[in-house]
Amino acid sequence: MSTHRAVVLSKLGAPLTIEHLPTPSPTSGQLLVAPLISPVIAYQHALHSGERGNPLTFPLVPGTSTIGRPGDLVLIDPTLRGRDNPGVTSLQALYRMHPALDNTWHNGSWAERFLAPLENSSRLNEASLLGPKSAGARGYTLGQLGAITQLLVPYGGWRAANLRPGQTVAVAYASGAFGGSAIDVALGLGAGRVIALGRRNETLLPAIAALKSPYPGRVVPVVVTGDIKQDADAIQAATPGSTGLDPDATLVLMGGVRDNISLPYQPIMFKNITIKGRFMYCKEWVDELVAIVEAGSVSLERQQVRCFSLDDHAEAVEAAKNDAASGRGVVLTPVVEK
């Protein structure tokens, strides 16, 4: 096809429109993908309005990752990495961090065709993931496969923390899409107990309810108030035999927090606490998680996903905003297979 349909954002605060764009011809190291599933993130509305403050290139085709076809079914990782310098990174269609990457790859996957770096593709075992349970396959839907990119972020955090089977871990905060995914991944990797921290019972308890049945006793909700002593006592009560952050523990900082934080120097020093920052994940970890999902160690069974057509992009953005606390996913389906 010489042209294809795409959702376009002309500038911050402008309405999204459907336009016909020239279909690019991939060159060496590039992959032209027909997106079947393109996730809509919970803060997509704030990204487009400018409230989020992410630097972007315009005009922009949104969409930070995809499950699609250049032939075989593949996952496209949205984390761009410099080929000559892996320390140079950016997030495709989400956060402009380096001109050399963004000038080539700034458009995303809310389109009938999507140009991606070849090295960002991971082949998916379609028969194993989408085949019927009666045949011994997982029986997932395409929409559920879209959750893999959401699981990747906390997987990067747990890999950075060197999570080992049987350990007790805490997720702050556990409600919402990424918090719930962090619990899913921790349990799949063998965590003995997950302390799920949240600000309000009315959002925390529904978010972890689906995990309590398959993992009885391993997910413990704790509502935090902001009172340091009260919260510390509540966390210790949820971890019998522990004093909270035990000696040689690891704290991994992830997410889009913009403010600085203060840390208690002496407890960190005396307890030999390791503190790490982790931006996304390494490329090889993508293939690791895909293999773990294909093996069934991390399940997509509980993933609830609402699908919207490319023409219904505005409704999809609104649904993602409204469903943020529930952990339910929202995706666009730019190309529908017959």
Side-chain angles (χ1 to χ4, degrees):
M1 65 172 56
S2 59
T3 64
H4 64 277
R5 298 169 72 243
V7 177
V8 176
L9 180 68
S10 61
K11 62 180 181 179
L12 290 176
L16 296 169
T17 58
I18 295 282
E19 297 184 17
H20 285 81
L21 302 180
T23 300
S25 297
T27 59
S28 178
Q30 298 180 340
L31 203 61
L32 187 64
V33 180
L36 305 179
I37 292 295
S38 297
V40 183
I41 54 181
Y43 57 84
Q44 198 84 46
H45 64 289
L47 185 68
H48 296 170
S49 69
E51 177 187 348
R52 186 80 180 181
N54 290 22
L56 300 168
T57 300
F58 298 101
L60 173 72
V61 176
T64 60
S65 60
T66 191
I67 304 289
R69 290 191 190 281
D72 291 334
L73 191 68
V74 298
L75 163 73
I76 299 297
D77 166 23
T79 306
L80 302 171
R81 303 169 183 86
R83 287 170 173 163
D84 297 326
N85 182 1
V88 173
T89 57
S90 192
L91 294 175
Q92 192 163 11
L94 182 61
Y95 202 110
R96 180 184 174 95
M97 299 170 68
H98 198 280
L101 293 174
D102 293 287
N103 290 344
T104 303
W105 309 110
H106 78 273
N107 276 333
S109 60
W110 290 10
E112 293 174 335
R113 293 296 183 270
F114 169 56
L115 199 63
L118 178 62
E119 64 271 22
N120 280 38
S121 64
S122 295
R123 183 180 177 276
L124 301 176
N125 188 327
E126 187 172 353
S128 172
L129 292 169
L130 299 177
K133 291 182 179 179
S134 59
R138 301 293 164 207
Y140 296 142
T141 65
L142 272 172
Q144 287 175 314
L145 293 190
I148 295 176
T149 55
Q150 186 170 282
L151 295 168
L152 270 169
V153 179
Y155 182 72
W158 294 130
R159 283 291 268 108
N162 193 28
L163 172 61
R164 296 186 297 277
Q167 284 186 315
T168 294
V169 300
V171 176
Y173 289 101
S175 57
F178 287 104
S181 295
I183 297 174
D184 279 315
V185 175
L187 293 169
L189 295 178
R193 175 172 292 196
V194 179
I195 309 304
L197 303 176
R199 296 183 182 93
R200 298 184 303 276
N201 261 325
E202 57 267 30
T203 55
L204 178 61
L205 295 182
I208 67 171
L211 290 166
K212 288 187 140 186
S213 176
Y215 300 103
R218 291 175 62 191
V219 182
V220 183
V222 174
V223 175
V224 293
T225 64
D227 182 297
I228 294 177
K229 184 179 186 312
Q230 182 178 333
D231 293 343
D233 289 344
I235 293 170
Q236 288 182 27
T239 54
S242 171
T243 59
L245 203 57
D246 289 337
D248 299 309
T250 300
L251 171 65
V252 178
L253 303 176
M254 301 188 77
V257 176
R258 305 295 173 97
D259 297 327
N260 293 326
I261 60 174
S262 60
L263 297 169
Y265 175 83
Q266 286 199 339
I268 291 171
M269 180 189 66
F270 287 132
K271 288 190 172 186
N272 300 316
I273 303 299
T274 298
I275 299 176
K276 294 182 177 181
R278 178 70 244 178
F279 175 69
M280 302 300 278
Y281 38 81
C282 300
K283 171 62 183 99
E284 56 268 27
W285 295 354
V286 179
D287 294 326
E288 285 181 9
L289 181 63
V290 168
I292 288 169
V293 170
E294 289 177 347
S297 297
V298 172
S299 175
L300 307 181
E301 191 75 36
R302 78 178 190 95
Q303 299 294 331
Q304 299 180 37
V305 182
R306 298 174 66 184
C307 298
F308 293 82
S309 70
L310 206 61
D311 291 307
D312 293 330
H313 53 270
E315 291 87 343
V317 171
E318 188 66 19
K321 174 184 176 182
N322 294 334
D323 288 355
S326 71
R328 182 166 54 179
V330 175
V331 299
L332 288 182
T333 56
V335 175
V336 179
E337 293 186 309
K338 297 180 180 179

